[in-house]
Amino acid sequence: MDTYTPAEITERLLALRADHRALDDRITRMAANGEDDLESKRLKRHRLQLKDCITRLESLQIPDEPA
């Protein structure tokens, strides 16, 4: 697994969260306008992938505690 500095993790998290919000807004607009369901499903899947990546990066920020 790649190692990231805390600054790189924070920067990447900010970018991923912004992408996640943008997708969420786009999906909401598509649903309100009754647009393409297939495209909406694709965007939802991508949004979920972003959320998973955000969760993994957030877990890297948790310091290791000695046993």
Side-chain angles (χ1 to χ4, degrees):
M1 180 175 201
D2 294 332
T3 57
Y4 299 100
T5 66
E8 290 172 332
I9 292 172
T10 301
E11 183 179 319
R12 185 71 179 136
L13 277 171
L14 289 173
L16 290 172
R17 287 178 180 143
D19 290 346
H20 188 272
R21 278 191 304 274
L23 276 175
D24 197 39
D25 291 343
R26 185 170 173 199
I27 291 167
T28 302
R29 283 193 311 271
M30 287 179 75
N33 294 334
E35 293 183 30
D36 187 12
D37 284 338
L38 184 60
E39 178 71 8
S40 178
K41 287 179 184 179
R42 186 185 68 77
L43 292 174
K44 287 178 181 180
R45 192 169 32 253
H46 183 62
R47 183 180 62 178
L48 183 58
Q49 290 170 339
L50 287 176
K51 184 63 177 171
D52 290 343
C53 191
I54 290 168
T55 301
R56 281 192 301 274
L57 287 174
E58 286 174 339
S59 72
L60 291 176
Q61 291 184 316
I62 299 170
D64 292 334
E65 294 184 21

